[in-house]
Amino acid sequence: MLKINRLWNKIVNKITSNSKFLLLTALSISLVLTFFRAPSLAQLPPLKQLPIEEDSETQPAPEIGIEEDSETQPAPEIGIEEDSEIQPAPEIGIEEGSETQSAPEIGIEEGSEIQPAPEIGWEFLGSRELNQVEIHETKYKGECPGYSWSSREARFTSSTTPPARKRRVIVKNITRGVASDPFPYTDREYDEGRSSEGTRMSFGTRHDSKEFHVLDGENTFEYEIKERDRVLESGVFTAVIKRNVDVRQRDSYPITKSVCMNSEVPMSLCADIRTLTKYKCRSNWVLRSFLMPNTPEVATLISNQTPYSVKYWINDRIQKLSSGSDKIYTNNFLNIKFESCSVGTEDGSKAKECTIKTRSLERGKRYRFTASDLDYESLDIEDFPRS
């Protein structure tokens, strides 16, 4: 035994420090490899929890640590050797000779044709759209309120059964909300062109002999195309008829004219002409009127158209009127008296004969005194028209 110890000491003394370092390194690598080859903790089955008795005391887990005087061994360095080559990842691609297959195309064959939908329904003059139109109406507010109804001309057309001789079309409005006793309908000739004879379309709920009534919005129509008594085509279509209401202000407008205060007197003989302004609506309904001047008296004119002064009585009051002058009277009733004389010859002697003439004058009229060309004292009173 003593010999063995001596031999070991000789061997240890002969080992250099470098050799010792290499031996420690090899030992560390072997320990690391052994650690990685061992099964991981994640693969170990979980530990079962043991029940703890009520009176038992829990024992603390033993403390595992590193002693103060122990030395930590550095972890071995693992790397890539200089002469080793990194293998590139394999490339995945498309071979040159292979062709990519495109998705199959789905389409319409060249020989096939898309058939357009048949055009059936109403055409409207001035509109490019089939079965769509606006009917414009006017609502008035203000002094002269009211409503102006309107209509549109409509013509039926069918691309599947065009017009021809001896053909007619009957169209009924079967929309919910219109009267059904009978439904509003129209019976029109369908014998030339591309559409039927025109019909006036307006808003309403009952059949009318002059206009074809529809509702505001979408309407449903039932039609029959006949050739004599044989039905060639029948069906149902819809059309949108919109009501466009334009609200406008409408007030009365003035009408001014000259009137005689006494309406029974013609304007050519009227002595009292005034200005009358009437504010009317288009229905000839007069809202108000104004007369200028607005006085209750009616003027009557008497003029002296003789070369001499004239003496007369108005309502038994003596008056005198010089030649060429006028007088205005506003009495409601005028009685005039004047003297008229004439010179005659009896048995070769001259004799003067005078008489009293009496007249009742019409109010608001023009009168004048006149004298005979042969005898200035022969007076009379007559109508005095305007020149």
Side-chain angles (χ1 to χ4, degrees), residues 145-156:
Y147 205 95
S148 176
W149 305 93
S150 184
S151 61
R152 288 291 295 267
E153 182 174 331
R155 296 174 181 268
F156 176 84

Side-chain angles (χ1 to χ4, degrees), residues 62-303:
E63 295 181 359
I64 300 174
I66 302 172
E67 296 179 1
E68 293 181 359
D69 297 336
S70 64
E71 295 181 0
T72 56
Q73 301 295 329
E77 296 181 359
I78 301 173
I80 302 171
E81 298 180 1
E82 294 181 359
D83 296 336
S84 63
E85 295 181 358
I86 301 172
Q87 299 295 327
E91 296 182 359
I92 301 173
I94 302 172
E95 297 181 2
E96 294 181 358
S98 62
E99 296 181 357
T100 57
Q101 300 295 327
S102 59
E105 296 182 358
I106 301 174
I108 302 171
E109 298 180 2
E110 294 181 359
S112 62
E113 295 182 358
I114 299 175
Q115 297 297 328
E119 294 183 345
I120 299 174
W122 294 114
E123 285 183 345
F124 299 93
L125 292 180
S127 176
R128 300 179 184 272
E129 300 293 333
L130 190 70
N131 293 322
Q132 292 186 20
V133 76
E134 288 186 356
I135 297 180
H136 299 274
E137 297 179 347
T138 306
K139 181 180 180 181
Y140 296 101
K141 62 178 184 178
E143 291 181 329
C144 304
Y147 205 95
S148 176
W149 305 93
S150 184
S151 61
R152 288 291 295 267
E153 182 174 331
R155 296 174 181 268
F156 176 84
T157 185
S158 174
S159 60
T160 55
T161 306
R165 292 182 68 252
K166 305 296 182 181
R167 290 184 180 178
R168 299 187 68 86
V169 60
I170 302 172
V171 184
K172 295 180 181 179
N173 187 356
I174 60 173
T175 307
R176 183 177 295 277
V178 300
S180 58
D181 51 347
F183 286 110
Y185 71 89
T186 181
D187 188 347
R188 288 290 179 261
E189 294 180 358
Y190 192 64
D191 55 1
E192 60 182 2
R194 70 176 185 184
S195 56
S196 70
E197 177 188 6
T199 182
R200 301 305 301 180
M201 182 177 290
S202 63
F203 293 108
T205 58
R206 296 186 177 277
H207 175 68
D208 186 81
S209 59
K210 296 181 180 180
E211 293 185 344
F212 184 44
H213 282 169
V214 295
L215 297 181
D216 183 15
E218 186 176 86
N219 289 255
T220 304
F221 300 96
E222 189 177 77
Y223 72 95
E224 282 185 350
I225 301 175
K226 289 185 174 182
E227 187 172 290
R228 293 184 175 89
D229 295 333
R230 183 165 59 97
V231 177
L232 303 179
E233 180 183 340
S234 63
V236 176
F237 67 94
T238 60
V240 177
I241 318 296
K242 292 184 178 180
R243 171 178 274 160
N244 189 346
V245 180
D246 183 17
V247 180
R248 298 182 183 180
Q249 180 78 17
R250 186 171 69 178
D251 296 326
S252 60
Y253 58 93
I255 296 178
T256 301
K257 64 178 182 178
S258 297
V259 297
C260 185
M261 192 59 181
N262 185 357
S263 60
E264 297 179 358
V265 176
M267 291 293 292
S268 61
L269 296 175
C270 185
D272 194 346
I273 297 178
R274 305 189 186 188
T275 301
L276 177 64
T277 303
K278 293 182 178 181
Y279 287 85
K280 302 175 64 177
C281 294
R282 296 189 181 274
S283 59
N284 292 326
W285 175 29
V286 179
L287 295 180
R288 57 191 180 275
S289 60
F290 299 97
L291 186 65
M292 296 297 293
N294 189 15
T295 56
E297 297 83 6
V298 180
T300 303
L301 180 138
I302 299 177
S303 177

